[in-house]
Amino acid sequence: MKKGQSMQFNWIFVVVAGAIILVFFVGFGMQYANLQKSRESTTISRSIDQMINGLKGQEQYKEININTAFNFGFKCDGYIINNDPRSYMNLSGKTLFTQKNYDVKGLYAWIKEFKRGFKIDNVIYLIDKDKKFYLISDGNEQYVNDLYNQMPNSFINIKLVSLNDLSTIKIIGKNNEFVFFTNPEQSILDQFKSKGDIIILDIITKKITFGNGDSQNFIDNTFVYGAIFSGTYESYQCSHSSLTNKFNVINDIYTQKARNLQDCCSSGTCDYNIIIQKLVQSNINSPDSNFEEINNINQNLANYCKVIY
């Protein structure tokens, strides 16, 4: 091989080898960055889970502040951070009302007890701190005031307004939600639907209507808050179904317990047939009066007999 050809070959070798080394380090750098991002997502997921578990035992609330922005994805039975499968966290039976998918920097976590005569669960509401919620009180001021006042004072992103007030507020971006407690005219809905989520709550018929037109009857304020903080029918329905299933399980347990007590311990004083009948006829949508009657029967049993709960 001639000297010129040898030098040319050496240069080609150096260039190719350099390119291979560069590709290796670039690839390694990308893999390292992806690994770090995955670790960050998993850490955020675990942090949220730990904070929720720390609150779960009683009614309370907490701010969850994360040092970095992230995407929260609600999957009905769990959640995922930054769409990273390794960050998936199963809710392990907990009932969570939150939005389906959103970018967030911080969260509010609020725990509220749900009862239908007897306790069903402590419900978790997970709320984007940066999302603006406008509760438009026109026509139902007393109900909306009570609903607003039952929420923690630290929820500074939730505003109680009239429709006239709302027209004077500069609405920025699309991370907003407009909650109406009367049926507004279509022109009003058209005005706000491009600026965020819309929910209509009819407290007379007890019906929630979401922005896509889907609707669902509600029982009490547990589900009203659930609708507000879910934002969409799809997300709301997941948690509604979870609570319905829990009610059915607990109601069946108490029904069977009453039957067992009737078989073993009934007497002229201790008769469980009426409460058995009431429990069998009950579902989560039964009127409050039904559960008040069940509670009264159970409390009367406590005087001389074994109680159901």
Side-chain angles (χ1 to χ4, degrees):
M1 182 181 293
K2 294 181 180 180
K3 185 177 180 180
Q5 290 176 325
S6 176
M7 290 182 63
Q8 186 178 18
F9 175 79
N10 288 340
W11 276 109
I12 293 173
F13 175 79
V14 169
V15 170
V16 171
I20 292 172
I21 293 171
L22 179 62
V23 168
F24 170 79
F25 279 108
V26 170
F28 176 79
M30 291 179 64
Q31 288 183 347
Y32 179 78
N34 290 336
L35 179 61
Q36 289 298 101
K37 184 68 175 176
S38 183
R39 285 178 177 173
E40 180 183 88
S41 298
T42 302
T43 299
I44 293 171
S45 181
R46 289 174 178 169
S47 296
I48 293 172
D49 183 61
Q50 289 169 0
M51 290 182 189
I52 288 174
N53 287 333
L55 295 171
K56 187 69 170 64
Q58 57 185 314
E59 290 192 356
Q60 54 183 315
Y61 67 92
K62 185 178 181 65
E63 291 187 39
I64 302 177
N65 294 309
I66 307 296
N67 293 328
T68 184
F70 62 95
N71 178 268
F72 187 96
F74 179 47
K75 304 294 183 182
C76 283
D77 57 356
Y79 61 85
I80 190 170
I81 302 300
N82 295 326
N83 204 30
D84 185 343
R86 283 170 287 193
S87 73
Y88 176 79
M89 185 65 67
N90 193 293
L91 287 169
S92 301
K94 296 186 283 289
T95 300
L96 172 65
F97 284 100
T98 192
Q99 298 172 82
K100 188 69 177 175
N101 189 287
Y102 52 106
D103 295 322
V104 65
K105 296 178 182 176
L107 298 161
Y108 292 123
W110 183 28
I111 312 299
K112 188 171 177 60
E113 185 180 72
F114 173 58
K115 298 177 71 174
R116 293 303 281 154
F118 40 83
K119 180 178 176 178
I120 306 302
D121 197 11
N122 282 339
V123 176
I124 306 160
Y125 304 103
L126 207 57
I127 306 149
D128 178 2
K129 287 175 62 176
D130 291 329
K131 184 173 186 178
K132 298 294 188 294
F133 297 84
Y134 298 96
L135 308 185
I136 304 160
S137 61
D138 294 55
N140 286 293
E141 285 80 3
Q142 185 60 55
Y143 174 82
V144 183
N145 276 328
D146 292 343
L147 190 75
Y148 178 78
N149 290 330
Q150 288 174 31
M151 289 186 277
N153 293 331
S154 64
F155 290 4
I156 58 174
N157 57 330
I158 301 174
K159 308 294 184 184
L160 181 62
V161 299
S162 68
L163 194 56
N164 284 338
D165 293 335
L166 190 61
S167 64
T168 65
I169 297 172
K170 185 178 181 181
I171 307 298
I172 300 173
K174 296 184 178 182
N175 195 23
N176 306 290
E177 183 171 307
F178 307 95
V179 185
F180 295 90
F181 293 86
T182 53
N183 288 309
E185 296 179 2
Q186 187 61 46
S187 59
I188 295 174
L189 295 178
D190 292 340
Q191 180 182 350
F192 293 106
K193 67 181 180 181
S194 63
K195 300 177 181 179
D197 297 321
I198 288 179
I199 291 177
I200 302 170
L201 286 155
D202 189 327
I203 65 173
I204 304 299
T205 62
K206 290 198 167 185
K207 186 172 76 169
I208 303 165
T209 303
F210 294 86
N212 65 350
D214 287 328
S215 62
Q216 174 84 53
N217 290 336
F218 67 88
I219 301 164
D220 62 12
N221 286 349
T222 301
F223 293 94
V224 172
Y225 292 123
I228 291 171
F229 299 132
S230 296
T232 62
Y233 176 81
E234 183 182 6
S235 181
Y236 172 81
Q237 189 58 31
C238 283
S239 306
H240 184 281
S241 297
S242 172
L243 277 182
T244 301
N245 292 337
K246 286 181 181 180
F247 170 86
N248 292 337
V249 169
I250 294 171
N251 192 67
D252 287 347
I253 289 171
Y254 287 145
T255 301
Q256 189 57 50
K257 182 178 179 181
R259 285 171 172 158
N260 292 342
L261 288 172
Q262 179 67 18
D263 291 340
C264 79
C265 311
S266 63
S267 64
T269 304
C270 301
D271 188 343
Y272 296 89
N273 281 317
I274 297 176
I275 198 168
I276 290 170
Q277 182 182 6
K278 289 291 180 183
L279 288 167
V280 168
Q281 293 174 347
S282 296
N283 60 63
I284 197 170
N285 295 309
S286 296
D288 292 342
S289 58
N290 177 76
F291 295 106
E292 289 170 4
E293 188 171 354
I294 290 173
N295 266 340
N296 290 335
I297 296 170
N298 190 61
Q299 289 170 5
N300 290 335
L301 286 169
N303 295 326
Y304 308 101
C305 315
K306 294 181 179 180
V307 295
I308 308 303
Y309 54 89

